[in-house]
Amino acid sequence: DAGITQSPRYKITETGRQVTLMCHQTWSHSYMFWYRQDLGHGLRLIYYSAAADITDKGEVPDGYVVSRSKTENFPLTLESATRSQTSVYFCASSAQGSYNSPLHFGNGTRLTVT
Amino acid sequence: AQSVTQLDSQVPVFEEAPVELRCNYSSSVSVYLFWYVQYPNQGLQLLLKYLSGSTLVESINGFEAEFNKSQTSFHLRKPSVHISDTAEYFCAVSDNAGNMLTFGGGTRLMVKP
């Protein structure tokens, strides 16, 4: 089915471990985004990508790494997880920039860092 | 830089009553404005948007929002809510040069029978 899927849906990891969150979209959208959602902060942009091999920092990029070797995939890696990275992570895609085409969100990954 | 403020973190309301969810933004340039809705355990979905033209925009499920440039507001309204409208609503802003949406903190709408 067409859409945007995130995996895993839930993840528990320990402080200091590396963890990768996966995001896959089947629309061939050019733009992909990673947001984190925290109570009281709404959604904050971590990284985004305008096309394969092009990535840019968002509002809160520290501690995260992204790559986009293929248009359909946009993994997010926490190189050394910290408790402050406990959050719900949303991946999104859009055909054009986020202001002139809607963002399509995945169902999120709930990450707990112990 | 731009920012979005949603003044109410929670809005309880009875079914069939009217509701207004408030959103104020700040930006030094022209903006595009959006409302997204998040149902439990799901990602966000676009509800409606203002890009240009008429300042009153409507969604297919009865919500409307009005862009007020002088008050830098984009409040969301519905004249009669249903139980199924229970969700979290996010206001967002984007400038016409950027690719990034800036979201407000969200307002949880709780519709009671």
Side-chain angles (χ1 to χ4, degrees):
Chain A
D1 288 343
I4 183 164
T5 55
Q6 293 184 237
S7 61
R9 192 70 194 273
Y10 302 93
K11 176 73 177 178
I12 299 174
T13 191
E14 295 177 342
T15 299
R17 290 195 179 267
Q18 181 181 84
V19 61
T20 296
L21 310 184
M22 304 302 292
C23 179
H24 175 79
Q25 53 106 353
T26 59
W27 291 299
S28 298
H29 283 168
S30 295
Y31 286 82
M32 296 188 75
F33 307 83
W34 274 107
Y35 285 89
R36 59 177 289 173
Q37 183 179 26
D38 303 290
L39 201 62
H41 290 281
L43 278 80
R44 292 180 290 176
L45 182 65
I46 305 170
Y47 271 95
Y48 71 99
S49 168
D53 296 322
I54 300 175
T55 62
D56 275 299
K57 294 179 180 179
E59 182 184 355
V60 288
D62 293 343
Y64 303 94
V65 175
V66 293
S67 62
R68 186 123 180 253
S69 57
K70 293 184 178 181
T71 299
E72 61 266 30
N73 296 324
F74 192 40
L76 176 74
T77 297
L78 289 67
E79 293 191 303
S80 178
T82 65
R83 289 197 180 92
S84 65
Q85 292 177 309
T86 292
S87 185
V88 181
Y89 291 85
F90 286 99
C91 179
S93 70
S94 69
Q96 304 173 48
S98 59
Y99 72 91
N100 57 7
S101 63
L103 267 64
H104 298 267
F105 283 82
N107 286 335
T109 294
R110 185 175 294 276
L111 175 68
T112 301
V113 182
T114 61
Chain B
Q2 52 207 24
S3 65
V4 179
T5 302
Q6 293 182 244
L7 293 167
D8 306 301
S9 59
Q10 294 186 65
V11 173
V13 63
F14 286 105
E15 194 174 19
E16 298 184 5
V19 71
E20 178 180 81
L21 307 184
R22 296 180 292 169
C23 172
N24 288 91
Y25 69 91
S26 66
S27 176
S28 57
V29 298
S30 298
V31 296
Y32 301 113
L33 295 156
F34 307 81
W35 277 99
Y36 278 80
V37 58
Q38 183 181 30
Y39 298 104
N41 298 313
Q42 296 184 24
L44 282 71
Q45 306 170 32
L46 180 65
L47 186 61
L48 48 75
K49 62 183 178 183
Y50 169 78
L51 301 182
S52 64
S54 172
T55 58
L56 185 65
V57 291
E58 298 176 351
S59 72
I60 58 173
N61 57 352
F63 283 93
E64 64 178 30
E66 186 160 20
F67 170 55
N68 188 318
K69 188 175 182 179
S70 63
Q71 296 187 8
T72 60
S73 68
F74 191 55
H75 301 331
L76 181 70
R77 290 185 278 263
K78 189 170 185 178
S80 175
V81 295
H82 302 290
I83 295 287
S84 59
D85 292 325
T86 294
E88 188 147 19
Y89 292 79
F90 292 91
C91 183
V93 62
S94 173
D95 67 54
N96 59 6
N99 296 307
M100 301 189 295
L101 280 183
T102 299
F103 285 88
T107 297
R108 187 174 298 276
L109 176 63
M110 299 174 293
V111 182
K112 300 180 286 186

